[in-house]
Amino acid sequence: MRLRALLENDALGLRLLGGDEELDRSVRGVMTTDLRDPSRYLTGGELVLTGLAWRRDAADSEPFVRILAGAGVAGLAAGEAELGDIPDDLVEACRHHRLPLFAVNETVAFATITEYVVRQVSGERAGDLAAVVDRHRRLMTSGPTGGGPEVVLDLLGSDLDLHAWVLSPTGRQIAGAGAPLSAAAGAELAGLHLAAVRSGRRAPHRAALGGTTYSLFPIRNNGRGGAVPPARDVRESVLSDWLLAVEADAGDWPAARLDLLQGVTQLIAVERDRRDAARTVRRRLAQEVLELVQAGAAPAEIAARLRVATPVLLPGLGTAPHWQVVVARVEWDEDGASGVPGGPVAQALLEEILVDPAVTGPDSADRIAVAHTGDEAIALVPLPAASDRPDGEAAAGGDSGAEDPGEGPALHADALLAAVRAPLSAGLGDDGRLTLGVSASVHSAEGLRGALEEARHARRVAAARPGRVCAAGHHELASHVLLLPFVPDDVRRAFTARLLDPLREYDRRHRAELIPTLEAFLDCDGSWTRCAARLHLHVNTLRYRVGRIEQLTGRDLARLEDKLDFFLALRMS
């Protein structure tokens, strides 16, 4: 199709801001991006859609347009929803590089333009390709009779004789046409795909499995569903993007068929965004409960919020469920990854890991509420009582036994990661780690604070182990680590205040660093020389600080009992 065809469709809401003489350019595809440098994903001939999130000031426009022009894109369409009118600096940069520029009205979704371009471009293919693309519109329809990845995969199978499956980053089958892939095959293909993405190889990726050749196409998440923001680094998206696995060797395909499959991945990405948006309510519920728990809210307030969450997560449930907390953290090595956020990636990944295979329907993760804070994702998982569960239904990762006679099977850390460890290790590469901790189940809002701390302690146990993907459960905790989470909040506050408040106040007034000194002294088992070396202090200075701690608190750090009290107070603070 030609660029000028975009202006002939009033439904697209496009205004031409420059480049009248270039409107006969051919459009071969469409790409949505807010990357400052999207060159790795451009092959030439695309209509680029952008919401302008990459633009921080006027100086950003020229290098962005220069990259697009150098990649040979057909034109640029900028949305007005972010900044209102399109900035003059962007208009000038496009004029300088002879790049046609369109403004997209804020009422028009990028998905509408994407669908139109894909259908028009693909509709120009000859023979069997045209027949498939003409019916892709069904993928975009809503309601019980239309849409979904299954539709387009069925068309690929019936019209092009291509067997294809949409897989999650762990290899779980999301959609497919014909016979399903085995779980082992899906996990292996996902692992090969993730390893190829991390290596920077250009898609599609070729994979041989059991004598069969597959071509693997990434389905990139543009972040409009709220799970993961548009990625600036491949590590931000590698563990959350879907993939399209096609039973064929794309290395033998003509450019027209490759373009068609790229269009198919774009349409499926729109469906992915729609599913992610549907999870917004569950994520919001989890975030609200988490904030209440971490703020030390009254159990009655937390219980009220849980009563709101229960019907959303377990519709039709007659009694209040038991709850478990799962904490996950994705961390990258310091070298070059300081700006890679782990929380949103861990959130999307934890939603995937916790999928219950016994749940049927369009979204098999509809019992999972996951929030994130910082680099940490926290899942609130309801466990219905055994009497409320259909016969034979088991929770994801559960076993045949329940922890309480009245509750259904609980989550177990090792089982959660058993099937996904290999593909996730490939995606994490040599510089990433996933650690996960699982709490015991609790029966009421009063226990959620303890369950959260227990899951965090278990995750720290997992983090101490070797390996890229590690998990630990509450049953692996011992000593005070198991006891501390369940100390009542009022007892916790009174105990820590009595011991630590005098030191905090003294530090505030004198900047004496008594609290850090106390922590280091206990961590060094009371060794004066080791502690002084760690803090880069003379031993006499250390003795002075410890003496001041003892004077302010009335305790003796030579006594085991007083050391233990300080240790517990620091852990509970």
Side-chain angles (χ1 to χ4, degrees), residues 366-390:
D366 61 1
R367 293 186 176 183
I368 300 161
V370 183
H372 74 83
T373 174
D375 287 334
E376 184 180 70
I378 300 165
L380 187 66
V381 183
L383 301 175
S387 59
D388 291 315
R389 302 181 68 92

Side-chain angles (χ1 to χ4, degrees), residues 205-551:
H205 308 123
R206 186 179 184 276
L209 190 62
T212 302
T213 299
Y214 298 87
S215 296
L216 310 176
F217 296 80
I219 300 172
R220 305 200 182 278
N221 183 357
N222 63 30
R224 295 181 185 278
V228 182
R232 296 184 177 90
D233 187 302
V234 68
R235 286 168 290 198
E236 295 184 38
S237 62
V238 67
L239 295 175
S240 58
D241 283 345
W242 289 356
L243 70 134
L244 176 67
V246 181
E247 189 178 314
D249 189 347
D252 300 330
W253 288 359
R257 184 166 290 206
L258 281 173
D259 286 350
L260 173 67
L261 265 294
Q262 295 291 355
V264 168
T265 64
Q266 291 171 354
L267 288 174
I268 296 174
V270 173
E271 175 67 15
R272 168 68 188 273
D273 291 342
R274 182 182 297 169
R275 292 192 182 194
D276 284 342
R279 295 181 178 182
T280 301
V281 172
R282 298 196 299 276
R283 293 189 186 116
R284 186 180 299 120
L285 287 172
Q287 196 73 42
E288 291 173 355
V289 173
L290 173 64
E291 290 172 358
L292 289 174
V293 170
Q294 294 193 129
E301 187 177 359
I302 299 174
R305 182 55 53 188
L306 288 177
R307 283 194 295 273
V308 173
T310 298
V312 175
L313 302 178
L314 291 171
L317 187 66
T319 58
H322 302 238
W323 301 89
Q324 273 184 285
V325 175
V326 183
V327 172
R329 193 178 184 95
V330 173
E331 297 174 292
W332 305 99
D333 291 348
E334 291 295 329
D335 185 21
S338 58
V340 179
V345 176
Q347 180 186 40
L349 194 54
L350 191 51
E351 286 176 333
E352 169 63 25
I353 291 171
L354 291 174
V355 165
D356 184 346
V359 176
T360 59
D363 188 351
S364 55
D366 61 1
R367 293 186 176 183
I368 300 161
V370 183
H372 74 83
T373 174
D375 287 334
E376 184 180 70
I378 300 165
L380 187 66
V381 183
L383 301 175
S387 59
D388 291 315
R389 302 181 68 92
D391 291 342
E393 185 177 312
D399 60 20
S400 58
E403 300 194 356
D404 184 290
E407 72 181 45
L411 304 175
H412 290 270
D414 290 338
L416 283 174
L417 294 182
V420 302
R421 183 172 276 107
L424 293 186
S425 295
L428 291 163
D430 295 328
D431 59 350
R433 287 201 81 200
L434 166 68
T435 51
L436 184 145
V438 181
S439 77
S441 62
V442 295
H443 308 168
S444 64
E446 289 85 349
L448 277 182
R449 169 78 178 268
L452 175 58
E453 293 197 19
E454 189 176 61
R456 282 174 166 161
H457 284 308
R459 193 207 61 79
R460 293 188 191 101
V461 170
R465 295 172 174 167
R468 290 292 170 188
V469 180
C470 299
H474 62 93
H475 58 283
E476 300 180 66
L477 304 180
S479 185
H480 68 282
V481 174
L482 182 59
L483 298 176
L484 288 185
F486 298 98
V487 175
D489 287 347
D490 53 347
V491 175
R492 179 194 303 262
R493 287 191 290 267
F495 182 75
T496 58
R498 189 174 302 130
L499 279 173
L500 301 182
D501 279 4
L503 306 183
R504 290 178 178 136
E505 177 61 22
Y506 191 87
D507 281 349
R508 187 186 65 79
R509 288 188 287 109
H510 300 285
R511 299 183 180 178
E513 298 189 356
L514 297 185
I515 292 289
T517 300
L518 176 61
E519 292 174 331
F521 186 73
L522 295 175
D523 195 41
C524 292
D525 298 323
S527 168
W528 296 99
T529 54
R530 282 195 291 126
C531 184
R534 173 180 294 189
L535 296 174
H536 305 290
L537 298 174
H538 192 279
V539 172
N540 288 343
T541 303
L542 175 61
R543 291 186 184 277
Y544 171 80
R545 289 189 183 178
V546 170
R548 183 52 57 102
I549 291 171
E550 293 174 333
Q551 178 186 12

